[in-house]
PDB file of all heavy atoms in Angstrom:
ATOM      1  N   PHE A 136      -0.371   0.021   1.923  1.00 95.00           N
ATOM      2  CA  PHE A 136       0.593   0.188   0.842  1.00 95.00           C
ATOM      3  C   PHE A 136      -0.170   0.228  -0.470  1.00 95.00           C
ATOM      4  O   PHE A 136      -0.909  -0.709  -0.792  1.00 95.00           O
ATOM      5  CB  PHE A 136       1.617  -0.947   0.811  1.00 95.00           C
ATOM      6  CG  PHE A 136       2.569  -0.852  -0.347  1.00 95.00           C
ATOM      7  CD1 PHE A 136       3.404   0.233  -0.481  1.00 95.00           C
ATOM      8  CD2 PHE A 136       2.604  -1.836  -1.315  1.00 95.00           C
ATOM      9  CE1 PHE A 136       4.277   0.337  -1.558  1.00 95.00           C
ATOM     10  CE2 PHE A 136       3.465  -1.751  -2.395  1.00 95.00           C
ATOM     11  CZ  PHE A 136       4.304  -0.654  -2.514  1.00 95.00           C
ATOM     12  N   THR A 137      -0.008   1.308  -1.213  1.00 93.00           N
ATOM     13  CA  THR A 137      -0.676   1.470  -2.501  1.00 93.00           C
ATOM     14  C   THR A 137       0.374   1.593  -3.591  1.00 93.00           C
ATOM     15  O   THR A 137       1.255   2.451  -3.513  1.00 93.00           O
ATOM     16  CB  THR A 137      -1.579   2.722  -2.501  1.00 93.00           C
ATOM     17  OG1 THR A 137      -2.514   2.620  -1.428  1.00 93.00           O
ATOM     18  CG2 THR A 137      -2.324   2.860  -3.806  1.00 93.00           C
ATOM     19  N   TRP A 138       0.276   0.730  -4.586  1.00 93.00           N
ATOM     20  CA  TRP A 138       1.176   0.758  -5.741  1.00 93.00           C
ATOM     21  C   TRP A 138       0.343   1.175  -6.953  1.00 93.00           C
ATOM     22  O   TRP A 138      -0.539   0.455  -7.385  1.00 93.00           O
ATOM     23  CB  TRP A 138       1.804  -0.615  -5.952  1.00 93.00           C
ATOM     24  CG  TRP A 138       2.673  -0.726  -7.149  1.00 93.00           C
ATOM     25  CD1 TRP A 138       2.466  -1.544  -8.232  1.00 93.00           C
ATOM     26  CD2 TRP A 138       3.885  -0.033  -7.421  1.00 93.00           C
ATOM     27  NE1 TRP A 138       3.475  -1.390  -9.137  1.00 93.00           N
ATOM     28  CE2 TRP A 138       4.366  -0.464  -8.663  1.00 93.00           C
ATOM     29  CE3 TRP A 138       4.616   0.940  -6.724  1.00 93.00           C
ATOM     30  CZ2 TRP A 138       5.544   0.026  -9.230  1.00 93.00           C
ATOM     31  CZ3 TRP A 138       5.785   1.424  -7.284  1.00 93.00           C
ATOM     32  CH2 TRP A 138       6.239   0.975  -8.511  1.00 93.00           C
ATOM     33  N   GLN A 139       0.619   2.366  -7.461  1.00 88.00           N
ATOM     34  CA  GLN A 139      -0.115   2.905  -8.606  1.00 88.00           C
ATOM     35  C   GLN A 139       0.623   2.516  -9.882  1.00 88.00           C
ATOM     36  O   GLN A 139       1.639   3.116 -10.206  1.00 88.00           O
ATOM     37  CB  GLN A 139      -0.192   4.438  -8.511  1.00 88.00           C
ATOM     38  CG  GLN A 139      -0.868   4.955  -7.271  1.00 88.00           C
ATOM     39  CD  GLN A 139      -2.373   4.813  -7.320  1.00 88.00           C
ATOM     40  OE1 GLN A 139      -2.951   4.437  -8.338  1.00 88.00           O
ATOM     41  NE2 GLN A 139      -3.021   5.110  -6.219  1.00 88.00           N
ATOM     42  N   ASN A 140       0.137   1.520 -10.588  1.00 78.00           N
ATOM     43  CA  ASN A 140       0.814   1.109 -11.811  1.00 78.00           C
ATOM     44  C   ASN A 140      -0.066   1.272 -13.047  1.00 78.00           C
ATOM     45  O   ASN A 140       0.228   0.718 -14.098  1.00 78.00           O
ATOM     46  CB  ASN A 140       1.322  -0.334 -11.700  1.00 78.00           C
ATOM     47  CG  ASN A 140       0.195  -1.331 -11.528  1.00 78.00           C
ATOM     48  OD1 ASN A 140      -0.941  -0.969 -11.297  1.00 78.00           O
ATOM     49  ND2 ASN A 140       0.526  -2.605 -11.647  1.00 78.00           N
ATOM     50  N   THR A 141      -1.131   2.036 -12.923  1.00 68.00           N
ATOM     51  CA  THR A 141      -1.988   2.316 -14.065  1.00 68.00           C
ATOM     52  C   THR A 141      -1.436   3.532 -14.794  1.00 68.00           C
ATOM     53  O   THR A 141      -1.160   4.556 -14.161  1.00 68.00           O
ATOM     54  CB  THR A 141      -3.434   2.618 -13.599  1.00 68.00           C
ATOM     55  OG1 THR A 141      -3.895   1.513 -12.829  1.00 68.00           O
ATOM     56  CG2 THR A 141      -4.355   2.844 -14.773  1.00 68.00           C
ATOM     57  N   PRO A 142      -1.242   3.438 -16.106  1.00 62.00           N
ATOM     58  CA  PRO A 142      -0.734   4.598 -16.839  1.00 62.00           C
ATOM     59  C   PRO A 142      -1.644   5.810 -16.645  1.00 62.00           C
ATOM     60  O   PRO A 142      -2.868   5.694 -16.725  1.00 62.00           O
ATOM     61  CB  PRO A 142      -0.736   4.143 -18.305  1.00 62.00           C
ATOM     62  CG  PRO A 142      -0.800   2.659 -18.253  1.00 62.00           C
ATOM     63  CD  PRO A 142      -1.495   2.299 -16.980  1.00 62.00           C
ATOM     64  N   ARG A 143      -1.021   6.948 -16.377  1.00 63.00           N
ATOM     65  CA  ARG A 143      -1.801   8.166 -16.166  1.00 63.00           C
ATOM     66  C   ARG A 143      -1.699   9.050 -17.397  1.00 63.00           C
ATOM     67  O   ARG A 143      -0.644   9.177 -17.998  1.00 63.00           O
ATOM     68  CB  ARG A 143      -1.295   8.919 -14.944  1.00 63.00           C
ATOM     69  CG  ARG A 143      -1.510   8.126 -13.676  1.00 63.00           C
ATOM     70  CD  ARG A 143      -1.184   8.935 -12.478  1.00 63.00           C
ATOM     71  NE  ARG A 143      -1.409   8.112 -11.290  1.00 63.00           N
ATOM     72  CZ  ARG A 143      -1.720   8.596 -10.128  1.00 63.00           C
ATOM     73  NH1 ARG A 143      -1.821   9.881  -9.956  1.00 63.00           N
ATOM     74  NH2 ARG A 143      -1.919   7.796  -9.107  1.00 63.00           N
TER      75      ARG A 143
END
Side-chain angles (χ1 to χ4, degrees):
F136 176 62
T137 304
W138 176 243
Q139 301 284 353
N140 63 349
T141 304
R143 295 188 180 207

